[in-house]
């Protein structure tokens, strides 16, 4: 796909003003672009680094048209944009990312069906709309299994692990309220992710395979490069996905590796991702840099160089409560505070990246720091 390259001083419109929008804007500004952000929160982090701010709901078509008229290209920082409004924007304005990926990935069932159709290796799943379907899941998948809502889930929301009949009631109640997807539960060896940027003419550049640990369904830490031999296989899976689904810009594919070293595609985030934040310090291009290059029609680098191995830790509200008095003692910690107005215990408030030649030692020290003060 070819589209006009933006020139210095032209304007990028960003839908969503959270931390991802903020970091996109920072990359865009250093390249000489103007930034306009649309977000309903008057205190959103991105508005303080944007040239212009539109305070409006994401489904406010008048405000979206205003963003379109003021922007030379539009991008987004999250996937919960109403499909109808996004389709309108794609038809009326320059939105290189298009609407296909968003429409597919907003719905867990459609996402999994699309991945399966692309030939990607996915965890066995079943559609669940009734108690009868749930009984069929027990027969086909067996215990334990995961029940996930089709729409709106992130950071573990809308998910229930069902280990036995004793835990079936909560899942039944969820299915009675919303359409769901059931997935076979895997005994995991490892979780990894691969951040990728696709530019014009399907030019593709891969970041290193990332090793992730989640706690309470929220990303806790990322280690790069991943201590895994699955990078080649992960790239092959991503190439299947790119051939089937339209992407422009940066996106991340999350994978499960089970105890038998089988690699499964879990889900796709069609925009820069938490597990790629280390790239700001640890790579010669960050995931936000390559995203801006892609959506503005520039040439991508032929490859991403990891300058130094890294450990990235999320900073939740409870971590800031415990650690903010010691940040100044550690110049080796690259601290990013997002600027969210309200601090909550489990809300992502920032992240920190440590560059290191001894990942195991650094990881251990950071675990002691976080857990020793918890």
């Amino acid at each position: 796909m070819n589209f006009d390259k933006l020139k210095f001083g032209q304007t990028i419109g960003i839908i969503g003003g959270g931390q991802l929008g903020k970091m996109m804007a920072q990359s865009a500004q250093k390249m000489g672009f103007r930034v306009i952000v649309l977000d309903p929160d008057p205190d959103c982090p991105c508005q303080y680094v944007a040239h212009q701010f539109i305070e409006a709901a994401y489904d406010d078509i008048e405000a979206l048209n205003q963003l379109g008229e003021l922007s030379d290209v539009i991008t987004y920082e999250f996937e919960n944009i109403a499909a109808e409004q996004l389709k309108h924007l794609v038809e009326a304005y320059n939105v290189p990312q298009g609407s296909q990926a968003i429409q597919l990935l907003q719905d867990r069932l459609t996402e999994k069906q699309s991945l399966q159709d692309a030939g990607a290796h996915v965890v066995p799943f079943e559609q669940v709309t009734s108690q009868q379907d749930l009984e069929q899941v027990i027969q086909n998948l067996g215990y334990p299994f995961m029940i996930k809502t089709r729409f709106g889930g992130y950071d573990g929301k809308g998910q229930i692990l069902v280990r036995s009949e004793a835990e079936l009631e909560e899942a039944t109640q969820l299915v009675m309220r919303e359409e769901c997807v059931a997935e076979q539960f895997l005994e995991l060896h490892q979780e990894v992710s691969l951040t990728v940027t696709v530019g014009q003419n399907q030019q593709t550049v891969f970041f290193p395979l990332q090793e992730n640990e989640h706690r309470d369904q929220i990303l806790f830490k990322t280690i790069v490069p991943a201590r895994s031999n699955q990078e080649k296989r992960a790239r092959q899976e991503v190439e299947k996905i790119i051939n089937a689904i339209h992407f422009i810009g940066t996106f991340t594919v999350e994978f499960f590796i089970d105890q038998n070293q089988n690699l499964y595609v879990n889900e796709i985030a069609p925009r820069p991702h938490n597990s790629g934040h280390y790239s700001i310090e640890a790579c010669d291009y960050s995931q936000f840099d390559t995203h801006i290059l892609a959506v503005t029609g520039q040439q991508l680098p032929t490859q991403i160089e990891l300058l130094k191995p890294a450990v990235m830790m999320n900073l939740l509200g409870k971590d800031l409560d415990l650690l903010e008095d010691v940040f100044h003692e550690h110049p080796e910690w690259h601290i990013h505070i997002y600027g969210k107005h309200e601090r909550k215990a489990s809300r992502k408030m920032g992240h920190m990246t440590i560059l290191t030649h001894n990942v195991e030692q650094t990881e251990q020290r950071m675990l002691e720091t976080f857990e020793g003060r918890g």
Side-chain angles (χ1 to χ4, degrees):
M1 177 180 179
N2 283 303
F3 44 93
D4 292 338
K5 293 180 175 64
L6 261 65
K7 299 177 181 178
F8 299 144
Q10 290 192 281
T11 300
I12 300 172
I14 301 175
I15 301 173
Q19 64 266 24
L20 299 178
K22 178 181 179 180
M23 289 182 273
M24 280 184 199
Q26 289 169 327
S27 282
Q29 289 194 3
K30 77 179 182 183
M31 296 181 199
F33 300 114
R34 290 176 52 81
V35 174
I36 301 176
V37 61
L38 181 149
D39 194 280
D41 180 2
D43 291 315
C44 68
C46 188
Q47 71 133 323
Y48 299 107
V49 298
H51 293 88
Q52 189 172 340
F53 175 60
I54 300 172
E55 182 184 341
Y58 299 126
D59 60 355
D60 184 333
I61 197 66
E62 185 177 335
L64 290 168
N65 282 331
Q66 181 188 2
L67 180 71
E69 294 296 332
L70 292 170
S71 303
D72 295 294
V73 68
I74 294 176
T75 185
Y76 44 78
E77 69 141 14
F78 71 111
E79 54 267 46
N80 291 324
I81 308 166
E84 181 182 346
Q85 278 75 18
L86 182 59
K87 186 172 184 292
H88 163 75
L89 285 175
V90 170
E91 291 172 351
Y93 304 105
N94 181 17
V95 189
Q97 290 159 278
S99 59
Q100 183 195 24
I102 287 286
Q103 290 175 320
L104 292 178
L105 304 181
Q106 283 179 341
D107 177 346
R108 280 193 172 109
L109 178 62
T110 304
E111 177 183 19
K112 293 189 178 301
Q113 290 171 336
S114 300
L115 289 170
Q116 193 173 61
D117 291 343
H121 193 211
V122 298
V123 179
F125 66 92
E126 301 264 349
Q127 182 176 1
V128 185
T129 60
S130 66
Q131 188 168 0
Q132 185 177 0
D133 288 342
L134 201 54
E135 292 168 0
Q136 195 66 41
V137 165
I138 297 167
Q139 289 185 29
N140 294 343
L141 301 183
Y143 293 111
F145 60 88
M146 296 289 298
I147 284 285
K148 301 180 179 181
T149 56
R150 282 185 64 175
F151 303 98
Y154 66 95
D155 284 347
K157 296 177 174 61
Q159 300 186 24
I160 299 171
L161 172 60
V162 184
R163 299 180 185 86
S164 66
E165 186 176 352
E167 297 179 335
L168 200 56
E169 179 60 28
E170 186 181 3
T172 302
Q173 293 302 316
L174 182 61
V175 170
M176 294 300 101
R177 294 194 303 269
E178 300 184 57
E179 290 187 50
C180 295
V181 177
E183 294 178 12
Q184 189 174 75
F185 180 75
L186 300 177
E187 292 293 340
L188 294 185
H189 167 69
Q190 200 174 41
E191 294 179 69
V192 297
S193 61
L194 194 59
T195 295
V196 187
T197 305
V198 177
Q200 58 181 338
N201 298 319
Q202 288 294 94
Q203 185 189 10
T204 304
V205 63
F206 293 91
F207 286 79
L209 189 66
Q210 299 140 191
E211 176 185 337
N212 304 319
E213 179 185 339
H214 289 80
R215 294 190 178 183
D216 299 323
Q217 306 295 330
I218 299 173
L219 183 65
F220 175 64
K221 74 173 187 292
T222 295
I223 291 174
V224 183
R227 294 166 290 192
S228 170
N229 62 358
Q230 297 273 16
E231 182 160 2
K232 181 179 178 181
R233 177 96 181 277
R235 288 191 179 198
Q236 291 170 343
E237 292 295 295
V238 169
E239 285 166 355
K240 295 176 188 175
I241 294 165
I242 292 171
N243 289 334
I245 303 173
H246 171 80
F247 286 100
I248 292 288
T250 295
F251 66 99
T252 293
V253 180
E254 297 181 75
F255 298 91
F256 291 146
I257 301 173
D258 70 10
Q259 296 292 339
N260 295 318
Q261 294 297 306
N262 295 308
L263 181 80
Y264 298 88
V265 176
N266 176 31
E267 59 186 21
I268 304 172
R271 36 72 184 169
H273 187 258
N274 195 170
S275 65
H277 290 349
Y278 71 92
S279 61
I280 297 171
E281 283 86 21
C283 297
D284 54 348
Y285 292 81
S286 78
Q287 64 168 341
F288 302 100
D289 294 338
T290 54
H291 180 76
I292 296 301
L293 290 173
V295 299
T296 58
Q298 317 299 319
Q299 189 76 7
L300 296 180
T302 55
Q303 63 181 28
I304 300 298
E305 181 180 353
L306 181 67
L307 303 175
K308 200 171 184 179
V311 179
M312 189 279 293
M313 311 284 293
N314 261 339
L315 295 172
L316 306 182
K318 60 186 178 182
D319 300 317
L320 293 190
D321 292 341
L322 293 167
L323 294 173
E324 65 181 335
D325 61 331
V326 301
F327 287 148
H328 68 281
E329 299 172 3
H330 293 276
E332 75 278 12
W333 295 356
H334 295 272
I335 305 295
H336 294 255
I337 302 299
Y338 301 146
K340 295 179 180 177
H341 185 66
E342 185 179 1
R343 183 184 297 187
K344 298 179 182 177
S346 295
R347 190 183 193 190
K348 295 174 187 174
M349 303 300 295
H351 72 270
M352 59 191 292
T353 300
I354 306 96
L355 307 183
T356 177
H357 286 302
N358 191 329
V359 165
E360 284 74 18
Q361 183 182 76
T362 300
E363 178 189 25
Q364 186 58 39
R365 286 177 178 170
M366 291 314 305
L367 290 174
E368 290 169 358
T369 299
F370 276 70
E371 296 170 346
R373 299 176 67 89

